[in-house]
């Protein structure tokens, strides 16, 4: 994975999973969106410092706040 951070707590998270499938997630103002094609995204803050992102009801990604904000 990789991350591009910008001011105001915004982040673009790039993830590549087995088989070469790539996902790009955007975090801004406490919300996640998906920039990839065929990507129905739901998300939840599952602890004080971790997010769970679910794509198409079966792909799961866990992203700690440190990825978004650095640390």
């Amino acid at each position: 994975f990789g991350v591009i951070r910008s001011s105001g707590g915004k982040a673009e998270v790039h993830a590549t999973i087995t088989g070469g499938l790539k996902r790009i997630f955007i975090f801004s103002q406490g919300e996640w969106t998906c920039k990839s094609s065929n990507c129905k995204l739901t998300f939840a803050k599952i602890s004080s410092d971790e997010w769970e992102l679910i794509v198409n009801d079966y792909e799961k990604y866990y992203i700690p706040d440190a990825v978004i904000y650095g640390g």
Side-chain angles (χ1 to χ4, degrees):
F1 86 97
V3 63
I4 301 167
R5 294 182 196 99
S6 57
S7 63
K10 295 179 183 178
E12 184 173 298
V13 178
H14 295 245
T16 303
I17 60 174
T18 306
L21 179 64
K22 295 181 181 184
R23 295 288 186 209
I24 300 172
F25 303 108
I26 308 295
F27 181 80
S28 179
Q29 299 179 350
E31 299 282 323
W32 288 95
T33 56
C34 188
K35 214 170 147 179
S36 307
S37 61
N38 190 28
C39 185
K40 179 185 166 203
L41 178 69
T42 59
F43 61 88
K45 184 100 177 193
I46 59 171
S47 70
S48 64
D49 64 349
E50 187 172 38
W51 292 87
E52 178 183 63
L53 282 62
I54 302 173
V55 177
N56 301 331
D57 296 324
Y58 63 90
E59 290 173 40
K60 289 186 179 182
Y61 301 86
Y62 297 93
I63 301 177
D65 282 348
V67 170
I68 300 166
Y69 302 108

